[in-house]
Amino acid sequence: MINTIKNIFSLGVFKDNPVFRQILGICSALAVTNLLMNSVFMGLGLIFVTALSSLTVSILRKYTPKHIRMMVQTLIISAYVIIVDIVLKAYFPAMSEALGPYVGLIITNCIIMGRCEVFAQNNPPFTSFIDGVASGSGYALVLLVIAFFRELLGFGSLFGINVLGENWVNWVFMIMPPGAFFMLGVIIWLANTYIPTKDGKAPAAGGGN
Amino acid sequence: MPDINPFVIFMASIFTNNMILANFLGMCSFIAVSKEIKTAWGLGQAVTFVLTGTSIINYLIYHYVLVPFNLEYLRFIVFIILIAAFVQLVEMIVERYLPTLYYSLGIFLPLITVNCAILGVSLFMIIRQYSLIQSAAFGVGSGIGWTLAIVALAGIRQKIKNAPIPKGLEGAGITLIITGLMALAFIGFSGIVSVQ
């Protein structure tokens, strides 16, 4: 059991990481990473939604007719995203404002749908839940790495606290969209070079959906 | 309600506030379906078409059904269902009456339901409190902007097909770097119009 969990985590976080390996869910990975704090909230939100949607889909998998399963999955995901949205609005209004439409866009984040379709549909609830947490964590990890560099270089600060001192000249470029694209491109490059793939072979070129 | 000329919104959503290059929406299909100009163009057309329709429908449903009943918090579910239903409907109508168009768009239509740009436009127009005309202009403009970006990227990718790219950077990596360069180029437009 422990081994299964360890295995799922090593796949979800590193070897089969949703962002840099499967190229999923990068819309929000790029949009919210200009500040570390935004990324923390986005990551937590995504872990919550992925884990619970996988759990729910897995529990309902025997009762869901095959041909309407996509619709059912979408509804389950939307329900959890609404919870995240309401909680953010109620307790962290500033954060809700900063993330704007990207909270709602968790629904169309392909990671969640992908895990529901590929994993939760064929596995028991507990493992599906763990798988959701693992994939969500893999996503959150990449977000934090990107946000770390973008905030550090773009604002000279981490979590809003100035760390590079007064003389640091902000790289405005890093906060703008091109900075995000370059950062993710470089991370994919490094990951493909240094992190082994699932079957130990060189990573396949070309992004899937 | 912001008092912006719909034409300004239209131009801004193509150039300065481009869905992909400034808001990162619709990235998944942007990277996956940009290997050939022809398919990119087909997907772009389908996205523009669906965006125009859904931005108007979602606007009407939100302001005339959800707001009067205080059900704004249900907007995510309602929007995604309306988008899925609209895509399905368009697919059936196009298949029945415009078979040639169906063969060029056909395979792309189902993909569009999960394209974040579609839901993103609906959410943005609510947050920015656009009027009906402004929302429609925003929808069409965003679709055209998205098409422009994906066709341009596909063109570049076809050109560099045989270029010697470092091993780890092949595929998604280099595509993102190219997108970054395109985004840089589009920043040059930012003097024309700006809408936030």
Side-chain angles (χ1 to χ4, degrees), chain A residues 116-129:
Chain A
C116 288
E117 185 66 20
V118 175
F119 198 92
Q121 202 64 246
N122 315 307
N123 284 284
F126 182 71
T127 18
S128 302
F129 180 77

Side-chain angles (χ1 to χ4, degrees), chain A residues 188-189 192 203-207, chain B residues 163-175:
Chain A
I188 290 177
W189 187 6
N192 279 347
Chain B
I165 298 162
K167 191 103 189 70
L169 205 55
E170 279 169 5
I174 192 70
T175 311

Side-chain angles (χ1 to χ4, degrees), chain A residues 145-182:
Chain A
V145 173
I146 301 178
F148 177 83
F149 287 107
R150 285 185 74 191
E151 188 177 345
L152 188 69
L153 299 174
F155 292 103
S157 60
L158 290 175
F159 288 109
I161 301 159
N162 195 314
V163 287
L164 289 179
E166 291 298 309
N167 293 326
W168 173 254
V169 180
N170 289 344
W171 298 16
V172 183
F173 166 75
M174 286 309 281
I175 317 163
M176 292 193 302
F181 287 119
F182 288 139

Side-chain angles (χ1 to χ4, degrees), chain B residues 149-182:
Chain B
I150 195 171
V151 171
L153 178 73
I156 298 174
R157 282 185 76 175
Q158 276 188 349
K159 288 274 180 220
I160 62 158
K161 208 164 17 183
N162 299 321
I165 298 162
K167 191 103 189 70
L169 205 55
E170 279 169 5
I174 192 70
T175 311
L176 279 162
I177 306 269
I178 297 170
T179 315
L181 291 172
M182 280 170 61

Side-chain angles (χ1 to χ4, degrees), chain B residues 18-48:
Chain B
N18 188 293
M19 268 298 142
I20 293 177
L21 302 172
N23 293 318
F24 314 104
L25 294 179
M27 285 298 296
C28 296
S29 31
F30 181 67
I31 293 195
V33 196
S34 57
K35 289 194 184 98
E36 271 178 61
I37 295 183
K38 214 175 147 215
T39 39
W41 173 239
L43 184 68
Q45 278 176 298
V47 165
T48 311

Side-chain angles (χ1 to χ4, degrees), chain A residues 23-28 30-32 71 74-75 78-79 81-82 85-86 89 100-105 107-108 110 113 150 173 176-178 180-182 184-186 188-189 192-193 202-209, chain B residues 20-32 35 73-77 80-81 84 111 113-117 119-120 123-124 127 157 166-174 176-181 183-184 187:
Chain A
I23 323 292
L24 292 180
I26 43 182
C27 307
S28 50
L30 295 167
V32 302
M71 209 60 217
T74 314
L75 288 182
S78 316
V81 172
I82 288 177
D85 185 49
I86 291 175
K89 272 210 180 93
Y102 294 99
V103 179
L105 287 169
I107 298 175
T108 48
C110 343
M113 196 68 144
R150 285 185 74 191
F173 166 75
M176 292 193 302
F181 287 119
F182 288 139
L184 186 61
V186 170
I188 290 177
W189 187 6
N192 279 347
T193 315
N209 187 11
Chain B
I20 293 177
L21 302 172
N23 293 318
F24 314 104
L25 294 179
M27 285 298 296
C28 296
S29 31
F30 181 67
I31 293 195
K35 289 194 184 98
Y73 65 92
L74 281 182
R75 65 180 186 277
F76 298 158
I77 288 197
I80 198 85
I81 294 176
L111 261 180
T113 314
V114 287
N115 188 322
C116 1
L119 184 62
L123 295 176
F124 266 121
I127 288 177
R157 282 185 76 175
K167 191 103 189 70
L169 205 55
E170 279 169 5
I174 192 70
L176 279 162
I177 306 269
I178 297 170
T179 315
L181 291 172
L184 258 185
I187 286 179

Side-chain angles (χ1 to χ4, degrees), chain B residues 22-89:
Chain B
N23 293 318
F24 314 104
L25 294 179
M27 285 298 296
C28 296
S29 31
F30 181 67
I31 293 195
V33 196
S34 57
K35 289 194 184 98
E36 271 178 61
I37 295 183
K38 214 175 147 215
T39 39
W41 173 239
L43 184 68
Q45 278 176 298
V47 165
T48 311
F49 190 55
V50 173
L51 260 180
T52 314
T54 52
S55 62
I56 295 170
I57 294 174
N58 283 347
Y59 178 90
L60 294 174
I61 298 281
Y62 183 78
H63 285 279
Y64 294 103
V65 178
L66 294 184
V67 173
F69 291 101
N70 283 325
L71 291 172
E72 289 98 332
Y73 65 92
L74 281 182
R75 65 180 186 277
F76 298 158
I77 288 197
V78 172
F79 285 175
I80 198 85
I81 294 176
L82 284 173
I83 291 170
F86 183 80
V87 170
Q88 197 89 72
L89 197 71

